[in-house]
Structure formats: structure tokens, C-alpha cells
Amino acid sequence: MQQKVSITGKCESTLNSYSTHLAKLALHFNCLPSELDTDQIDDYLYLVQREHPTLSDSYFKFTVYGLRFAFRMLGLNDKHIQLPSIKHEKKLPIVLSRQEVKRLLKAPKLLKHRILIALLYGCGLRCFEARNVRIADLDFDRQMLHVQKGKGKKDRYVPLGHILIRGLKTYIGAENPQTWLFNGQPTGRAGGDFDNRYSQRGVQWAVKEAKNAAGILKDMTVHTLRHTFATHLLEDGLDIMSIKDLLGHECIDTTMVYLHVAQSGKRKPFSPLDTLYAKP
């Protein structure tokens, strides 16, 4: 399964997710998932929904995704077809206001964390993309960041603003990172990789601490900064196709969601209460 996940271009976290859910299923029945019949699988999926009411969507979803991948890998097409379809919720992303972003950028005590958050927002990076930035990827002369092996193993270039470049130079001069822009703890640390990159948990912790310190009540994550990046660019007048390229989206439909969030257009949206009580 590790081999199949690798050659199909999926990331390590996908392997971990699929294998974890398949392992729990195997332990429940004390046999391989491929040996289960349809009724047993249906019983287990029903059990998952009942035992994980608060996480039922994600837990159920990744159990089905893991089974689909395993059955397809083993050529068990009949079992693959009989698995339930997953209905995707059409949720709009949470987006920070510009004032909230300013408070978030001021909140961290460490320069490293301020630059990390500035890079996530200023370049619209995914968490793993920010962790993978090397010093060699920063082109200050051209004011560009080379994002290598993003989602789908695709490269792209994103602009570095003047403010971010100034901050990056200050940070690099103070911390003197050698290979990775953001170094982590010694290798083998829980939640990290087998190198000295900043761990995923480290990035998540830094953003969460900044969120709390800034007094932001929205249910934000690291990915919220990417949503905010796209929405603010759209509100500033950048066209949707350019935003698609900056985000590294495969399909324009994925980018179109920001049209439902951004306050842009010929006239900014307003509430009728404001006009109801407006002075003549």
C-alpha cells in the first residue's frame, strides 16, 4: 500500500490516514479488510457513525476513502462499487479581516513565528509548502518564491512583497538558517520528519498561539491564512485566473468558491438596515 500511495503521487499524510483507518477496521474484525463481506463493512460504517458523533463526517469519510483505495489496489471492483458515496458539504471558507491579519502578525513574540505567518498569508501557502521552503527557493532579486512540489507534485512561483522580503532578510540574518527556511527540533521528534524541518505540529501550534494572543474568535486554522490570501487578492481586484495559478489549483471550480466570500464588485454588499435608518 505504501508503494501504491507513493507511485500515485499521494502524500505521506494520505498513507497515514488510510492505513490508520484500515488498521482499526482490521482489528475490529480480526481479519484483513479484503476478507470482509458487504454486510460486515456496512455494520462497521454504521458503528463509526454512532461512536463518533462529533467527528462522524471526517472519520466516516476517511474510512471509506481507505477502503476504496485498498479495494481498487487489490482489484476488488465489486466491493469498491458497493461502498457508499461521500457527499461533499458546500461550506464557505472562514476568512480573516484585514484588521485581524494585522493583529495576528503582531501577536507572536518570536520573529520566526511572525515571518512564518507572514509567509503563509503573503504567499497563500499550504502548511506543508511553508515547511518545505528552502533558502535557495527565495529569489529576492526577482521578488519571487519558488514553491516546489506543491499539491499534485506541481511547482509554481508566487510573488514576495517588499514588506515580506524585508522581514525575511531580517529573520535570515538573525537566525542564520542553512537549508530549510524554518528549522525545527532534533530529528525524530513526534509530529516531525526525519530531518530538521519545522514540524507540522510546530506550524499549527505557532498559528494557534498567535490566534489566541490576537484575540481572534473565529475557528481558524493554518489553512485559513490561505483562504484569506485568496479572498483579499480578489477584493483588491486581481482576476480569478491569476489567483488560481497563485494557489496552484488544478481546477478553476476550486478557486471559484472565493467569489462567494469576497466583498467585491461594482458596489460593496451592504445590509438593508443601514439604508432603512440612513439619513436623507
Side-chain angles (χ1 to χ4, degrees):
M1 186 168 180
Q2 184 178 23
Q3 184 186 60
K4 281 289 185 181
V5 167
S6 178
I7 64 178
T8 53
K10 299 184 184 297
C11 60
E12 190 73 16
S13 61
T14 300
L15 172 64
N16 293 336
S17 176
Y18 288 177
S19 58
T20 297
H21 287 83
L22 289 173
K24 290 180 179 178
L25 174 61
L27 288 170
H28 180 80
F29 288 104
N30 196 29
C31 69
L32 292 174
S34 57
E35 297 172 359
L36 300 174
D37 58 36
T38 304
D39 289 338
Q40 288 175 306
I41 293 172
D42 288 344
D43 288 342
Y44 182 77
L45 292 176
Y46 181 64
L47 181 66
V48 165
Q49 285 186 324
R50 292 178 63 86
E51 290 188 347
H52 302 272
T54 57
L55 299 173
S56 58
D57 287 344
S58 60
Y59 203 100
F60 181 88
K61 177 175 68 176
F62 287 111
T63 301
V64 173
Y65 286 168
L67 284 169
R68 279 184 185 171
F69 190 87
F71 291 161
R72 190 164 57 244
M73 178 181 70
L74 297 170
L76 302 175
N77 295 326
D78 290 341
K79 289 186 177 182
H80 176 271
I81 292 172
Q82 293 177 24
L83 286 170
S85 59
I86 302 295
K87 293 183 179 180
H88 297 283
E89 294 183 348
K90 295 182 178 180
K91 289 184 177 180
L92 292 177
I94 293 172
V95 172
L96 302 181
S97 69
R98 296 174 192 272
Q99 291 74 21
E100 286 171 328
V101 174
K102 288 180 180 179
R103 298 208 313 265
L104 193 72
L105 290 168
K106 290 181 181 179
K109 296 179 180 178
L110 294 179
L111 175 61
K112 174 181 179 179
H113 292 164
R114 291 201 297 272
I115 296 301
L116 170 65
I117 292 172
L119 195 74
L120 287 164
Y121 166 73
C123 296
L125 302 184
R126 301 176 177 93
C127 181
F128 80 92
E129 291 173 344
R131 293 176 54 236
N132 289 345
V133 173
R134 301 170 185 262
I135 302 298
D137 297 330
L138 301 169
D139 188 340
F140 291 145
D141 293 333
R142 296 180 58 243
Q143 301 180 6
M144 300 294 284
L145 169 66
H146 186 190
V147 182
Q148 298 194 53
K149 295 182 180 179
K151 191 173 183 180
K153 305 295 182 182
K154 295 190 303 180
D155 286 13
R156 69 183 188 278
Y157 280 95
V158 294
L160 291 170
H162 296 289
I163 294 176
L164 184 53
I165 289 176
R166 189 167 68 240
L168 283 166
K169 287 182 176 179
T170 302
Y171 163 73
I172 292 171
E175 299 288 336
N176 194 30
Q178 298 301 309
T179 302
W180 308 104
L181 179 61
F182 300 111
N183 294 320
Q185 296 298 317
T187 58
R189 182 188 178 194
D193 295 274
F194 295 102
D195 53 39
N196 62 346
R197 277 180 298 165
Y198 204 23
S199 71
Q200 179 178 331
R201 291 182 186 177
V203 175
Q204 292 168 340
W205 180 86
V207 172
K208 183 178 179 180
E209 287 294 301
K211 168 189 178 296
N212 293 336
I216 296 173
L217 302 179
K218 293 176 180 175
D219 188 20
M220 68 165 287
T221 64
V222 175
H223 211 70
T224 302
L225 293 170
R226 180 171 158 87
H227 293 318
T228 305
F229 161 84
T231 304
H232 288 180
L233 283 180
L234 193 59
E235 290 176 344
D236 286 340
L238 190 64
D239 64 277
I240 195 73
M241 289 302 296
S242 295
I243 294 173
K244 169 186 173 294
D245 294 337
L246 290 176
L247 291 171
H249 283 165
E250 183 73 27
C251 178
I252 186 62
D253 292 342
T254 309
T255 320
M256 294 290 281
V257 68
Y258 299 111
L259 291 173
H260 300 283
V261 183
Q263 297 183 1
S264 57
K266 293 183 178 179
R267 190 174 183 184
K268 185 178 178 179
F270 57 89
S271 168
L273 274 173
D274 292 336
T275 55
L276 184 66
Y277 293 103
K279 295 181 180 180

